Amino acid sequence: MSVATRSRSGGRAGRRALRTAPDHQMLPGLTRKLPLCEPLDQDQIERLDDASMKILEEVGIIFRDAIALDDWRKAGAKVEGERVYLDRGLVRELIRTIPSSFTYHARNPAKNIPLGGNRSMFVPMTGAPFIRDLNDERRNPTLEDLAMFHKLSHMLPAMHSSAHHIVEPYDHPISHRHLRITYSSIKYSDKTFMGMTTSPKNAEDVMEMCALLFGEDYLEDHPVTTGNCNGNSPLVWDETMLGAMRAFSKRNQPVLCSPFVLGGANTPASVVPAVAQLNAEALSALAYTQVIRKGAPAIYGHYLSTVSMKSGAPMAGTPEISLMNFLIGQLARYYDVPWRTSGSLGGAKTFDAQAGYESAATLSAVIHAGANYIWHAAGWNEAGMHCSVAKFIVDAEQCAMAYRMAEGPRWDDFDEALSAVRDVGPGGHYLGHPHTQENFQRAFFMPDMFDNNSIEQWKAEGEVEITERALTQARKLLLEYQEPKLDEAKNEAILDYIARREREIPAEDALNQEF
């Protein structure tokens, strides 16, 4: 064999090895280049803004928290009992100090994520009280199950965060869970993570653990985690969420200011008025973050669903949800603040066609709406009641596909590819052309979870459906997982802190509100 032949053979073999080798490298934060879907004209945006401001000025927002009420009085708001009336001038002045963009800093700096403007990230679902496990059986989750999801989040390229309690670890007391959940988020992935806000004391614990991991001074000007504060629609913010918000904002860490919207149940049964209410709720919380600490990063958030008028059950993937996301995206850009939405919601009870259609409709809409923080992007099903391992895997691949779409068309090989047209000419094919050989992997996304073979080949290979393929892939990823080791001294310090706090907090099935 000639040297040239050996070289070509080695080159082909090398490329083949590269193609088949596992690649779990995280995709950089998404830079969106597609035009946005913006149904509102400028007059309609201003009309919606005016409606929201009138709600704040004339109806008011309930703040069920003595500290927040005192803060608002000092800030110049009108306070009557627990109801706060916010002047639009004050609201605009406050939200103007929210950063329009910032960068999340992971413990692996190569996995830092810019957010805001045309920069987006995908975050797994959280909060599921049940799991559909590696055997596709629905059951109560454990801390080991949570660790499994954090490992998968670490391995899946389109997931930019390990989130926090993807599933609830029932084998630990509620009052201690936040400590173990946060440690699992930190230990099994070196991506950015979310911090528990289930009580003000729990949020303070998360901040202390972040300080041990990154350094107290580092938190002052480096966002490292995300807190979520849900409002009680209509027009109420409670003591638990406001206390947790203070814990994060005081330490200059981002919070999602998220009204919990069930359209038609706790908002008017109409798209535009529902968004007007949601916008008022979000603005009141965004403004309060700046009362707590001017310049603290905050994200315009929401959990958004519509309600079936037949059963009262929350729905996913409906056209009205997409429309509301389009409108909310325009409003967030009008106020020049980053915004959060939900990415792959499904109401199906199993990973079936309904789950796929609902999630695909939702994900496509939020990409075209220009969302920045795309939460619940993998695993969500049964209206959030369970996280499905199979759906988690396929959703993550869908996020990678959405990522590729949102990057827009590539022009870098335009001239080279046009030269191939001349080389091949009429009646030929491109399969063996050098341009195809060099570019086929990046030219068209090739999903691992979809079977595009002939039905004969599919039957010969065992007629494997997508759920089984996804579970097989999950097991493979877990076998390939390599833990990104924490610095030993930091690990010991965090474990010592957890041990001390577990001694101090009574192991009771209640939220830690006092200890």
Side-chain angles (χ1 to χ4, degrees), residues 264-456:
N266 60 11
T267 73
S270 179
V271 166
V272 181
V275 171
Q277 177 191 302
L278 182 158
N279 189 49
E281 293 166 340
L283 289 174
S284 67
L286 288 166
Y288 185 57
T289 66
Q290 303 308 291
V291 172
I292 298 165
R293 178 168 176 165
K294 187 169 291 188
I299 298 172
Y300 184 135
H302 64 78
Y303 171 77
L304 181 59
S305 180
T306 52
V307 169
S308 169
M309 294 296 131
K310 296 178 182 178
S311 66
M315 298 185 293
T318 63
E320 291 77 18
I321 293 174
S322 296
L323 288 170
M324 284 192 265
N325 271 306
F326 296 148
L327 271 55
I328 292 162
Q330 285 191 260
L331 288 168
R333 287 185 289 276
Y334 178 71
Y335 303 120
D336 198 23
V337 292
W339 70 286
R340 163 255 157 150
T341 189
S342 302
S344 300
L345 301 187
K349 312 308 172 281
T350 62
F351 183 32
D352 59 7
Q354 177 185 334
Y357 282 125
E358 289 172 331
S359 297
T362 307
L363 183 60
S364 179
V366 303
I367 291 294
H368 288 95
N372 301 114
Y373 194 97
I374 304 173
W375 191 12
H376 303 316
W380 180 287
N381 217 5
E382 197 189 336
M385 289 299 290
H386 80 250
C387 183
S388 159
V389 175
K391 190 171 185 291
F392 197 91
I393 297 295
V394 180
D395 283 347
E397 186 170 80
Q398 287 285 291
C399 289
M401 294 171 73
Y403 183 108
R404 172 64 198 98
M405 178 186 72
E407 287 180 308
R410 295 172 178 148
W411 288 78
D412 56 334
D413 67 337
F414 183 69
D415 293 332
E416 182 184 352
L418 284 181
S419 295
V421 177
R422 297 180 182 276
D423 294 341
V424 172
H429 70 78
Y430 292 82
L431 295 177
H433 192 277
H435 176 267
T436 304
Q437 295 295 311
E438 293 298 323
N439 289 278
F440 76 91
Q441 282 189 287
R442 71 187 291 268
F444 307 112
F445 195 102
M446 293 182 286
D448 291 324
M449 292 298 101
F450 294 170
D451 189 311
N452 293 296
N453 295 323
S454 68
I455 190 168
E456 291 80 11

Side-chain angles (χ1 to χ4, degrees), residues 62-295:
I62 296 291
F63 282 79
R64 290 183 178 145
D65 178 75
I67 296 173
L69 293 170
D70 190 48
D71 287 342
W72 277 124
R73 288 189 192 95
K74 292 174 181 176
K78 177 184 175 183
V79 179
E80 294 183 356
E82 293 184 328
R83 191 173 298 205
V84 178
Y85 298 87
L86 295 173
D87 175 78
R88 68 185 64 198
L90 176 61
V91 172
R92 295 194 199 286
E93 178 186 343
L94 289 168
I95 63 174
R96 196 175 293 121
T97 61
I98 297 172
S100 60
S101 61
F102 58 88
T103 296
Y104 278 108
H105 295 266
R107 70 176 173 96
N108 179 353
K111 297 179 181 179
N112 291 352
I113 296 288
L115 191 83
N118 68 336
R119 305 301 297 268
S120 300
M121 63 187 290
F122 296 103
V123 182
M125 78 158 292
T126 65
F130 296 96
I131 180 178
R132 274 198 174 271
D133 61 20
L134 287 164
N135 297 315
D136 201 31
E137 295 176 358
R138 187 180 185 275
R139 58 173 175 80
N140 289 338
T142 65
L143 190 62
E144 186 177 350
D145 293 318
L146 178 61
M148 173 191 66
F149 279 118
H150 286 151
K151 292 173 183 178
L152 291 174
S153 300
H154 180 71
M155 300 280 280
L156 293 164
M159 293 294 102
H160 294 117
S161 170
S162 62
H164 47 31
H165 67 316
I166 295 173
V167 291
E168 282 285 346
Y170 280 90
D171 52 345
H172 281 260
I174 292 174
S175 58
H176 292 175
R177 256 177 226 173
H178 67 289
L179 299 165
R180 294 295 173 177
I181 290 167
T182 304
Y183 181 64
S184 181
S185 306
I186 293 170
K187 176 181 172 64
Y188 296 112
S189 176
D190 57 8
K191 300 177 180 181
T192 188
F193 57 94
M194 299 185 75
M196 298 293 290
T197 53
T198 40
S199 80
K201 294 292 186 183
N202 290 356
E204 290 168 9
D205 281 334
V206 171
M207 290 295 96
E208 291 303 317
M209 292 172 74
C210 287
L212 292 170
L213 179 62
F214 291 99
E216 183 71 51
D217 293 340
Y218 193 85
L219 299 189
E220 280 295 301
D221 50 12
H222 294 83
V224 301
T225 188
T226 311
N228 178 59
C229 297
N230 282 124
N232 297 328
S233 298
L235 305 172
V236 175
W237 290 93
D238 67 29
E239 181 180 18
T240 297
M241 292 290 94
L242 293 168
M245 184 182 293
R246 284 192 293 272
F248 274 70
S249 294
K250 283 179 180 178
R251 304 290 272 272
N252 214 33
Q253 296 303 302
V255 287
L256 310 174
C257 299
S258 303
F260 195 92
V261 167
L262 301 171
N266 60 11
T267 73
S270 179
V271 166
V272 181
V275 171
Q277 177 191 302
L278 182 158
N279 189 49
E281 293 166 340
L283 289 174
S284 67
L286 288 166
Y288 185 57
T289 66
Q290 303 308 291
V291 172
I292 298 165
R293 178 168 176 165
K294 187 169 291 188

